[in-house]
Amino acid sequence: MTEQWIEETLYDNWGQRFRVTKELARTKSPFQDIVVFESESHGRVLLLDGVVQITERDEFVYQEMLTHVPLFTHGAARNVLIIGAGDGGVLRRVLEHPGVEKAVMVEIDGAVIELSKQHLPGIAGDAWTNPRAEVIVGDGIDYVAKAADASFDVIIVDSTDPIGVGEVLFTDSFYQHCARILTAEGLIVNQCGVPFMQADELHETSERRAKFFPHVSAYVAAVPTYVGGFMTLGIASKGKSPVGQDVNTVRTLAQDAGILGNTQYWTPEIHVGSFNLPPYIAKHLPKADA
């Protein structure tokens, strides 16, 4: 029998490929091409427009760092807005925080949600039916533009790269509205790519956020399927700087939330240490919080 391989198409001169055990879904939504397949090495894999979004085997790295870092950095978030994250993994981790009263998730492509429910049920778990969750199939840009002032404590943007459907989530207008709808101590996090290959993404996004937030920085996570080394997660805060947090404070918050010892990548030490950036990454940030 002929082997089937799927090759990622993020870069035209470098990439990775997966040997496919079984293709589970292949469809074209109004927004993007979606493929879900079973791999030998990484379990089930979700691709959007030929780019790996999540795999069952290493999703915990990205999801834990995208969620627990901003929520414990804030320390008292009650209302959280999630833009994108159609696989439900971020929603699941947000709802692990008992202090969160409401998690609103806005995903533009309902097909991603439905295929994830069908083929990647372990990633979201029971988050879809949690009474504290509100899942909206709609335009995150429009939602942010219409949301009330100071209505969220934390915004988590889990988008594709700033091309195609994800491009509008990296504009001045978007960040300006995000700053408006965040509370005084509010903060926003979004993925900024792998700087070894996508340094411009981190640099340009940081410059845009700096127009509307006094503190702009980034932290890193080593996600095996995001090839090229560290993935950067950009963070911008209206209140205190996220850099230089106290590990004991973070540990206490995690203990109180019942999350300490129940993660596979995130720890209080990883949390604090992830802001210590290699110079090749730090040079792309505004100097004050680099």
Side-chain angles (χ1 to χ4, degrees), residues 62-186:
Y62 181 68
Q63 313 275 29
E64 289 178 6
M65 292 298 283
L66 190 62
T67 304
H68 297 324
V69 172
L71 290 182
F72 286 132
T73 297
H74 185 282
R78 293 182 299 172
N79 295 290
V80 178
L81 174 62
I82 304 163
I83 304 292
D87 57 73
V90 172
L91 181 64
R92 171 188 159 194
R93 264 76 175 195
V94 167
L95 294 169
E96 289 176 355
H97 291 252
V100 172
E101 298 172 359
K102 186 78 171 180
V104 179
M105 173 182 154
V106 185
E107 163 63 56
I108 197 168
D109 197 341
V112 174
I113 295 176
E114 292 309 312
L115 288 171
S116 296
K117 286 180 178 179
Q118 183 178 353
H119 298 295
L120 299 162
I123 289 181
D126 60 1
W128 301 119
T129 57
N130 190 298
R132 293 181 291 145
E134 180 182 357
V135 178
I136 299 168
V137 177
D139 186 348
I141 303 298
D142 185 59
Y143 185 92
V144 167
K146 294 178 179 177
D149 292 0
S151 51
F152 291 98
D153 300 300
V154 171
I155 299 174
I156 301 173
V157 184
D158 180 17
S159 68
T160 56
D161 290 305
I163 53 175
V165 70
E167 186 173 5
V168 290
L169 296 173
F170 291 79
T171 64
D172 283 4
S173 176
F174 176 72
Y175 289 121
Q176 184 174 21
H177 279 298
C178 285
R180 176 183 61 78
I181 71 172
L182 282 168
T183 51
E185 297 296 319

Side-chain angles (χ1 to χ4, degrees), residues 23-30 32-38 44-49 53-54 56 85-88 105 107 109-124 128 137:
E23 188 172 291
L24 302 170
R26 183 181 291 268
T27 187
K28 186 174 180 63
S29 77
Q32 56 206 336
D33 292 316
I34 308 170
V35 177
V36 185
F37 65 91
E38 186 92 38
R44 295 186 175 188
V45 181
L46 170 67
L47 273 77
L48 300 180
D49 286 336
Q53 302 301 307
I54 214 77
E56 284 184 318
D87 57 73
M105 173 182 154
E107 163 63 56
D109 197 341
V112 174
I113 295 176
E114 292 309 312
L115 288 171
S116 296
K117 286 180 178 179
Q118 183 178 353
H119 298 295
L120 299 162
I123 289 181
W128 301 119
V137 177

